[in-house]
Coordinates of all heavy atoms in Angstrom, one line a residue:
L249 N 23.4 -1.5 -27.3 CA 23.9 -0.9 -26.0 C 22.9 -1.1 -24.9 O 23.2 -0.8 -23.7 CB 24.0 0.7 -26.2 CG 24.9 1.1 -27.3 CD1 24.8 2.6 -27.5 CD2 26.3 0.7 -27.0
C250 N 21.7 -1.7 -25.2 CA 20.7 -2.0 -24.2 C 20.5 -3.5 -24.1 O 20.8 -4.3 -25.0 CB 19.4 -1.3 -24.6 SG 19.5 0.5 -24.5
W251 N 20.0 -3.9 -22.9 CA 19.6 -5.3 -22.7 C 18.2 -5.5 -23.2 O 17.2 -5.1 -22.5 CB 19.8 -5.7 -21.2 CG 19.6 -7.1 -20.9 CD1 18.7 -8.0 -21.5 CD2 20.2 -7.9 -19.8 NE1 18.8 -9.3 -20.9 CE2 19.7 -9.2 -19.9 CE3 21.1 -7.5 -18.8 CZ2 20.1 -10.2 -19.0 CZ3 21.5 -8.5 -18.0 CH2 21.1 -9.8 -18.0
I252 N 18.0 -6.1 -24.4 CA 16.7 -6.2 -24.9 C 16.4 -7.7 -25.1 O 17.1 -8.4 -25.7 CB 16.5 -5.5 -26.3 CG1 17.0 -4.0 -26.2 CG2 15.1 -5.6 -26.9 CD1 16.1 -3.2 -25.3
A253 N 15.3 -8.1 -24.5 CA 14.8 -9.5 -24.7 C 13.3 -9.5 -24.9 O 12.5 -9.4 -23.9 CB 15.2 -10.4 -23.5
A254 N 12.9 -9.5 -26.1 CA 11.5 -9.4 -26.4 C 10.9 -10.8 -26.8 O 11.6 -11.6 -27.3 CB 11.3 -8.5 -27.6
R255 N 9.7 -11.0 -26.3 CA 9.0 -12.2 -26.7 C 7.6 -11.9 -27.2 O 7.1 -10.8 -26.9 CB 8.9 -13.2 -25.5 CG 8.3 -12.5 -24.3 CD 8.2 -13.5 -23.1 NE 7.5 -12.7 -22.0 CZ 8.0 -12.7 -20.8 NH1 9.2 -13.2 -20.5 NH2 7.4 -12.0 -19.8
E256 N 7.0 -12.8 -28.0 CA 5.7 -12.5 -28.6 C 4.6 -12.9 -27.7 O 3.5 -12.4 -27.9 CB 5.6 -13.1 -30.0 CG 6.5 -12.4 -31.0 CD 6.5 -13.1 -32.3 OE1 5.6 -13.9 -32.6 OE2 7.4 -12.8 -33.2
Q257 N 4.8 -13.8 -26.8 CA 3.8 -14.4 -26.0 C 4.0 -14.0 -24.5 O 5.1 -14.1 -24.0 CB 3.8 -15.9 -26.1 CG 2.5 -16.6 -26.0 CD 1.5 -16.2 -27.1 OE1 1.7 -16.3 -28.3 NE2 0.4 -15.7 -26.6
W258 N 2.9 -13.5 -23.8 CA 3.1 -13.2 -22.4 C 3.2 -14.5 -21.6 O 2.6 -15.4 -21.8 CB 1.9 -12.4 -21.9 CG 2.0 -12.0 -20.5 CD1 2.8 -11.1 -20.0 CD2 1.2 -12.5 -19.4 NE1 2.6 -11.0 -18.6 CE2 1.6 -11.9 -18.2 CE3 0.2 -13.5 -19.3 CZ2 1.1 -12.1 -17.0 CZ3 -0.3 -13.8 -18.0 CH2 0.1 -13.1 -16.9
Q259 N 4.2 -14.5 -20.7 CA 4.4 -15.6 -19.8 C 4.0 -15.3 -18.4 O 4.8 -14.5 -17.7 CB 5.8 -16.1 -19.9 CG 6.2 -16.7 -21.2 CD 7.7 -17.0 -21.3 OE1 8.5 -16.1 -21.2 NE2 8.1 -18.2 -21.5
P260 N 2.9 -15.9 -17.9 CA 2.6 -15.5 -16.5 C 3.6 -16.1 -15.5 O 3.8 -15.5 -14.4 CB 1.2 -16.2 -16.3 CG 1.1 -17.2 -17.4 CD 2.0 -16.8 -18.5
Q261 N 4.2 -17.3 -15.8 CA 5.1 -17.9 -14.9 C 6.5 -17.7 -15.3 O 6.9 -17.9 -16.4 CB 4.8 -19.4 -14.8 CG 3.5 -19.8 -14.2 CD 3.2 -19.2 -12.9 OE1 4.1 -19.2 -12.0 NE2 2.1 -18.6 -12.7
E262 N 7.3 -17.1 -14.3 CA 8.7 -16.9 -14.5 C 9.4 -18.3 -14.3 O 9.0 -19.0 -13.4 CB 9.3 -15.9 -13.5 CG 8.8 -14.5 -13.7 CD 9.6 -13.8 -14.7 OE1 10.4 -14.4 -15.4 OE2 9.4 -12.5 -14.8
T263 N 10.4 -18.5 -15.0 CA 11.4 -19.6 -14.6 C 12.4 -18.9 -13.7 O 12.5 -17.7 -13.8 CB 12.0 -20.2 -15.8 OG1 12.8 -19.2 -16.5 CG2 11.0 -20.8 -16.8
N264 N 13.1 -19.7 -13.0 CA 14.2 -19.1 -12.1 C 15.2 -18.4 -13.0 O 15.6 -17.3 -12.6 CB 15.0 -20.2 -11.4 CG 14.1 -20.7 -10.2 OD1 13.1 -20.1 -9.9 ND2 14.5 -21.9 -9.7
E265 N 15.4 -18.9 -14.2 CA 16.4 -18.3 -15.1 C 15.9 -16.9 -15.6 O 16.6 -15.9 -15.6 CB 16.7 -19.2 -16.2 CG 17.9 -18.7 -17.1 CD 18.1 -19.5 -18.4 OE1 17.3 -20.5 -18.6 OE2 19.0 -19.2 -19.1
S266 N 14.6 -16.9 -16.1 CA 14.1 -15.7 -16.7 C 14.0 -14.6 -15.6 O 14.2 -13.4 -15.9 CB 12.7 -16.0 -17.3 OG 11.7 -16.2 -16.3
F267 N 13.7 -15.0 -14.4 CA 13.5 -14.0 -13.3 C 14.9 -13.5 -12.9 O 15.1 -12.3 -12.7 CB 12.9 -14.7 -12.1 CG 12.5 -13.7 -11.0 CD1 11.7 -12.5 -11.4 CD2 12.9 -13.8 -9.7 CE1 11.4 -11.6 -10.4 CE2 12.6 -12.8 -8.8 CZ 11.8 -11.7 -9.1
K268 N 15.9 -14.3 -12.9 CA 17.3 -13.9 -12.6 C 17.7 -12.9 -13.7 O 18.3 -11.9 -13.4 CB 18.2 -15.1 -12.5 CG 19.7 -14.9 -12.5 CD 20.2 -14.8 -11.0 CE 21.7 -14.7 -10.9 NZ 22.3 -13.5 -11.4
N269 N 17.5 -13.3 -15.0 CA 17.8 -12.4 -16.1 C 17.2 -11.0 -15.9 O 17.8 -10.0 -16.1 CB 17.3 -13.0 -17.4 CG 18.4 -13.9 -18.0 OD1 19.5 -14.0 -17.5 ND2 17.9 -14.8 -18.9
Y270 N 15.9 -11.0 -15.5 CA 15.2 -9.8 -15.4 C 15.8 -8.9 -14.3 O 16.0 -7.7 -14.5 CB 13.7 -10.1 -15.1 CG 12.8 -8.9 -14.9 CD1 12.8 -7.9 -15.8 CD2 12.1 -8.7 -13.7 CE1 12.0 -6.7 -15.6 CE2 11.3 -7.6 -13.5 CZ 11.2 -6.6 -14.5 OH 10.4 -5.5 -14.3
Q271 N 16.0 -9.5 -13.1 CA 16.6 -8.8 -12.0 C 18.0 -8.2 -12.4 O 18.4 -7.1 -12.1 CB 16.7 -9.6 -10.8 CG 15.4 -9.8 -10.1 CD 15.5 -10.8 -8.9 OE1 15.8 -11.9 -9.1 NE2 15.3 -10.3 -7.7
D272 N 18.8 -9.1 -13.1 CA 20.1 -8.6 -13.6 C 20.0 -7.4 -14.5 O 20.8 -6.5 -14.5 CB 20.9 -9.8 -14.3 CG 21.4 -10.8 -13.3 OD1 21.4 -10.5 -12.0 OD2 21.8 -11.9 -13.7
A273 N 19.1 -7.5 -15.4 CA 18.9 -6.4 -16.4 C 18.6 -5.1 -15.7 O 19.1 -4.1 -16.0 CB 17.7 -6.8 -17.4
L274 N 17.7 -5.2 -14.7 CA 17.4 -4.0 -13.9 C 18.6 -3.4 -13.2 O 18.8 -2.2 -13.2 CB 16.3 -4.2 -12.9 CG 14.9 -4.6 -13.4 CD1 14.0 -5.0 -12.3 CD2 14.3 -3.5 -14.2
L275 N 19.4 -4.3 -12.6 CA 20.5 -3.9 -11.8 C 21.7 -3.4 -12.7 O 22.5 -2.6 -12.3 CB 21.0 -5.2 -11.0 CG 22.0 -5.0 -9.9 CD1 21.6 -3.9 -8.9 CD2 22.3 -6.3 -9.2
Q276 N 21.7 -3.9 -14.0 CA 22.9 -3.5 -14.8 C 22.5 -2.5 -15.9 O 23.3 -2.2 -16.8 CB 23.4 -4.8 -15.5 CG 24.0 -5.8 -14.4 CD 24.5 -7.0 -15.1 OE1 25.0 -7.0 -16.2 NE2 24.3 -8.2 -14.4
S277 N 21.3 -1.9 -15.8 CA 21.0 -0.8 -16.8 C 20.7 0.5 -16.1 O 20.1 0.5 -15.0 CB 19.8 -1.2 -17.6 OG 19.5 -2.5 -17.7
D278 N 21.1 1.6 -16.7 CA 20.8 2.9 -16.1 C 19.3 3.3 -16.3 O 18.7 4.0 -15.4 CB 21.7 3.9 -16.7 CG 23.1 3.8 -16.2 OD1 23.3 3.8 -15.0 OD2 24.0 3.6 -17.0
L279 N 18.7 2.8 -17.4 CA 17.3 3.2 -17.6 C 16.5 1.9 -17.9 O 17.0 0.9 -18.4 CB 17.2 4.1 -18.9 CG 18.0 5.4 -18.9 CD1 17.8 6.0 -20.3 CD2 17.5 6.3 -17.8
T280 N 15.2 1.9 -17.4 CA 14.3 0.8 -17.7 C 13.2 1.4 -18.6 O 12.5 2.3 -18.2 CB 13.7 0.2 -16.5 OG1 14.8 -0.5 -15.8 CG2 12.7 -0.8 -16.7
L281 N 13.0 0.8 -19.8 CA 12.0 1.3 -20.7 C 10.6 0.7 -20.3 O 10.5 -0.5 -20.1 CB 12.3 0.9 -22.2 CG 13.7 1.3 -22.6 CD1 14.0 0.9 -24.1 CD2 14.0 2.8 -22.4
C282 N 9.6 1.6 -20.1 CA 8.3 1.1 -19.6 C 7.2 1.5 -20.6 O 6.5 2.5 -20.4 CB 8.0 1.7 -18.3 SG 9.2 1.4 -17.0
P283 N 7.1 0.7 -21.7 CA 6.0 1.0 -22.7 C 4.7 0.6 -22.1 O 4.6 -0.3 -21.2 CB 6.4 0.1 -23.9 CG 7.2 -1.0 -23.3 CD 7.9 -0.5 -22.1
V284 N 3.6 1.2 -22.6 CA 2.3 0.9 -22.0 C 1.9 -0.6 -22.4 O 2.3 -1.1 -23.4 CB 1.2 1.8 -22.5 CG1 1.4 3.3 -22.1 CG2 1.0 1.7 -24.0
G285 N 1.1 -1.2 -21.5 CA 0.5 -2.5 -21.8 C -1.0 -2.2 -21.9 O -1.4 -1.3 -22.6
I286 N -1.8 -3.0 -21.2 CA -3.3 -2.8 -21.2 C -3.5 -1.5 -20.4 O -4.4 -0.7 -20.7 CB -4.0 -4.0 -20.6 CG1 -3.7 -5.2 -21.4 CG2 -5.5 -3.7 -20.6 CD1 -4.2 -6.5 -20.8
N287 N -2.7 -1.2 -19.4 CA -2.7 0.0 -18.7 C -1.3 0.7 -18.7 O -0.3 0.0 -18.8 CB -3.2 -0.2 -17.3 CG -3.6 1.1 -16.6 OD1 -2.7 1.9 -16.2 ND2 -4.9 1.3 -16.4
T288 N -1.3 2.0 -18.6 CA 0.0 2.7 -18.5 C 0.9 2.2 -17.3 O 2.1 2.1 -17.4 CB -0.2 4.2 -18.5 OG1 -1.1 4.5 -19.5 CG2 1.1 5.0 -18.7
E289 N 0.2 2.1 -16.2 CA 0.9 1.7 -15.0 C 1.2 0.2 -15.0 O 0.3 -0.6 -15.3 CB 0.0 2.0 -13.7 CG 0.7 1.8 -12.4 CD -0.1 2.1 -11.2 OE1 -1.3 2.4 -11.4 OE2 0.4 2.1 -10.1
C290 N 2.5 -0.1 -14.7 CA 2.9 -1.5 -14.8 C 3.8 -1.8 -13.6 O 4.4 -0.9 -13.1 CB 3.5 -1.9 -16.1 SG 4.9 -0.9 -16.5
Y291 N 3.9 -3.1 -13.3 CA 4.8 -3.6 -12.3 C 6.3 -3.1 -12.5 O 7.0 -2.8 -11.6 CB 4.8 -5.1 -12.1 CG 3.5 -5.7 -11.8 CD1 2.8 -6.5 -12.7 CD2 2.9 -5.4 -10.5 CE1 1.6 -7.1 -12.3 CE2 1.7 -6.0 -10.2 CZ 1.0 -6.8 -11.1 OH -0.2 -7.3 -10.7
R292 N 6.7 -3.1 -13.8 CA 8.0 -2.8 -14.2 C 8.5 -1.4 -13.6 O 9.7 -1.3 -13.3 CB 8.1 -2.8 -15.7 CG 9.4 -2.6 -16.4 CD 9.3 -2.4 -17.9 NE 8.3 -3.3 -18.5 CZ 8.5 -4.5 -19.0 NH1 9.7 -5.0 -18.8 NH2 7.6 -5.2 -19.6
I293 N 7.6 -0.5 -13.6 CA 8.0 0.9 -13.1 C 8.5 0.8 -11.6 O 9.6 1.3 -11.3 CB 6.7 1.8 -13.1 CG1 6.3 2.1 -14.5 CG2 7.0 3.1 -12.3 CD1 5.0 2.8 -14.7
Y294 N 7.8 0.0 -10.8 CA 8.1 -0.1 -9.4 C 9.4 -1.0 -9.2 O 10.2 -0.8 -8.3 CB 7.0 -0.6 -8.6 CG 5.8 0.3 -8.6 CD1 4.8 0.2 -9.6 CD2 5.6 1.3 -7.7 CE1 3.7 1.0 -9.7 CE2 4.5 2.1 -7.7 CZ 3.6 2.0 -8.7 OH 2.5 2.8 -8.8
E295 N 9.4 -2.0 -10.1 CA 10.6 -2.9 -10.0 C 11.9 -2.2 -10.4 O 12.9 -2.5 -9.8 CB 10.3 -4.2 -10.9 CG 9.1 -5.0 -10.3 CD 8.5 -6.0 -11.2 OE1 8.8 -6.0 -12.4 OE2 7.7 -6.8 -10.8
A296 N 11.8 -1.4 -11.4 CA 13.0 -0.6 -11.8 C 13.4 0.3 -10.6 O 14.6 0.4 -10.3 CB 12.6 0.2 -13.0
C297 N 12.4 1.0 -10.0 CA 12.8 1.8 -8.8 C 13.5 1.0 -7.7 O 14.4 1.6 -7.1 CB 11.5 2.4 -8.2 SG 10.7 3.6 -9.3
S298 N 13.1 -0.2 -7.5 CA 13.7 -1.0 -6.5 C 15.2 -1.2 -6.7 O 15.9 -1.4 -5.8 CB 13.0 -2.4 -6.4 OG 11.7 -2.3 -6.2
Y299 N 15.6 -1.2 -8.0 CA 17.0 -1.4 -8.3 C 17.7 -0.2 -8.7 O 18.9 -0.2 -9.2 CB 17.1 -2.5 -9.4 CG 17.0 -3.9 -8.8 CD1 15.8 -4.7 -9.0 CD2 18.0 -4.5 -8.1 CE1 15.7 -5.9 -8.5 CE2 17.9 -5.8 -7.5 CZ 16.7 -6.5 -7.8 OH 16.6 -7.8 -7.2
G300 N 17.1 1.0 -8.6 CA 17.7 2.2 -8.9 C 17.9 2.4 -10.4 O 18.8 3.2 -10.9
S301 N 17.1 1.8 -11.2 CA 17.2 1.9 -12.7 C 16.0 2.9 -13.1 O 14.9 2.6 -12.8 CB 17.0 0.6 -13.4 OG 17.1 0.7 -14.8
L302 N 16.3 4.0 -13.7 CA 15.3 5.1 -13.9 C 14.3 4.7 -14.9 O 14.6 4.3 -16.0 CB 16.0 6.4 -14.3 CG 15.1 7.6 -14.3 CD1 14.9 8.1 -12.8 CD2 15.6 8.7 -15.1
P303 N 13.0 4.7 -14.5 CA 11.9 4.3 -15.5 C 11.8 5.4 -16.6 O 11.7 6.6 -16.3 CB 10.7 4.2 -14.7 CG 11.1 4.1 -13.2 CD 12.4 4.8 -13.2
V304 N 11.8 5.0 -17.8 CA 11.4 5.9 -18.9 C 10.0 5.4 -19.3 O 9.8 4.4 -19.9 CB 12.4 5.7 -20.1 CG1 12.0 6.6 -21.3 CG2 13.8 6.0 -19.7
V305 N 9.0 6.3 -19.0 CA 7.6 5.9 -19.0 C 6.9 6.5 -20.2 O 7.0 7.7 -20.4 CB 6.9 6.3 -17.7 CG1 5.4 5.9 -17.7 CG2 7.6 5.7 -16.5
E306 N 6.2 5.6 -21.0 CA 5.4 6.1 -22.1 C 4.1 6.7 -21.5 O 3.3 6.0 -21.0 CB 5.1 4.9 -23.0 CG 4.3 5.3 -24.2 CD 3.9 4.2 -25.1 OE1 4.2 3.0 -24.8 OE2 3.3 4.4 -26.2
D307 N 4.1 8.0 -21.5 CA 3.0 8.7 -20.8 C 1.8 9.0 -21.6 O 1.5 10.1 -22.0 CB 3.7 10.1 -20.3 CG 2.8 10.9 -19.4 OD1 1.8 10.4 -18.9 OD2 3.1 12.1 -19.2
V308 N 1.1 7.9 -22.0 CA -0.1 8.0 -22.8 C -1.3 7.2 -22.1 O -1.0 6.2 -21.5 CB 0.1 7.6 -24.2 CG1 1.1 8.4 -25.0 CG2 0.5 6.1 -24.3

Side-chain angles (χ1 to χ4, degrees):
L249 303 173
C250 293
W251 185 329
I252 306 296
R255 52 177 182 234
E256 287 178 17
Q257 213 58 61
W258 182 70
Q259 289 173 301
Q261 293 308 316
E262 291 277 9
T263 62
N264 285 346
E265 188 190 3
S266 70
F267 190 52
K268 169 94 172 68
N269 274 345
Y270 177 56
Q271 284 176 295
D272 285 349
L274 295 176
L275 191 54
Q276 293 179 38
S277 338
D278 288 302
L279 304 175
T280 292
L281 308 180
C282 302
V284 298
I286 301 170
N287 192 286
T288 311
E289 189 178 3
C290 60
Y291 298 116
R292 188 189 315 275
I293 293 171
Y294 298 89
E295 292 164 352
C297 290
S298 301
Y299 281 106
S301 181
L302 192 76
V304 179
V305 180
E306 185 182 2
D307 186 13
V308 297

